[in-house]
Amino acid sequence: MNKRDRRTALRGTVIGAVAAATVGLAAAGAWAKSDISFTAGPHTVRLGSSVHLAGNGTDDNSTYNRFCVQERSGTGKWVTLRCSSGGYNGGGSLKFSVRPAHRGQWQFRGVLTEASSRTSRHTSIHQVSPTATVRVR
């Protein structure tokens, strides 16, 4: 391989690397960004006392998003307590109180769901907050 061919090959390699990096950076900027936060407290309550729940969720994708709060007692199934009205490129926020029905460990979490429209029956969980545990005495 002569000097001219090596220079051409090197130039092609550099141009290819720059093109790949440009495409990679352009694709990285296209990711949808979502955020979810959730709090539950106090951590220990007496039976009949209120547990305060608050949270919000947002997402900038092009689907219909809603923020929901779920609970479970012991190792039971997650039950949805309440959902925000939601919206496209959004999610919503909630702030309310509940009174656990019996003693034991109660777990609460925030969930950001997504669907194709407000009336869609096919929703999926997009993001879940860390679980907050409340002990009811």
Side-chain angles (χ1 to χ4, degrees):
M1 183 182 257
N2 65 24
K3 191 174 185 179
R4 184 176 179 170
D5 290 339
R6 279 185 284 194
R7 198 176 303 152
T8 303
L10 180 61
R11 185 176 298 139
T13 303
V14 170
I15 290 172
V18 169
T22 302
V23 169
L25 288 175
W31 288 96
K33 293 161 190 69
S34 61
D35 184 37
I36 190 169
S37 66
F38 177 74
T39 60
H43 297 294
T44 303
V45 296
R46 290 184 179 165
L47 186 61
S49 297
S50 295
V51 176
H52 305 287
L53 310 170
N56 63 18
T58 59
D59 195 0
D60 65 355
N61 63 6
S62 60
T63 60
Y64 184 80
N65 298 300
R66 293 185 346 168
F67 177 76
C68 300
V69 174
Q70 296 180 337
E71 74 172 357
R72 76 174 175 183
S73 174
T75 58
K77 292 184 179 182
W78 287 103
V79 177
T80 301
L81 296 176
R82 197 175 292 175
C83 290
S84 67
S85 59
Y88 289 95
N89 301 326
S93 62
L94 292 171
K95 185 175 184 179
F96 63 100
S97 297
V98 295
R99 293 176 190 241
H102 57 82
R103 291 179 169 86
Q105 299 287 331
W106 287 79
Q107 294 178 323
F108 300 94
R109 69 181 184 179
V111 177
L112 187 62
T113 64
E114 66 181 7
S116 59
S117 70
R118 179 184 293 271
T119 58
S120 175
R121 301 215 182 248
H122 303 287
T123 60
S124 61
I125 293 177
H126 180 67
Q127 191 173 4
V128 178
S129 73
T131 301
T133 302
V134 176
R135 182 175 170 227
V136 180
R137 303 191 271 165

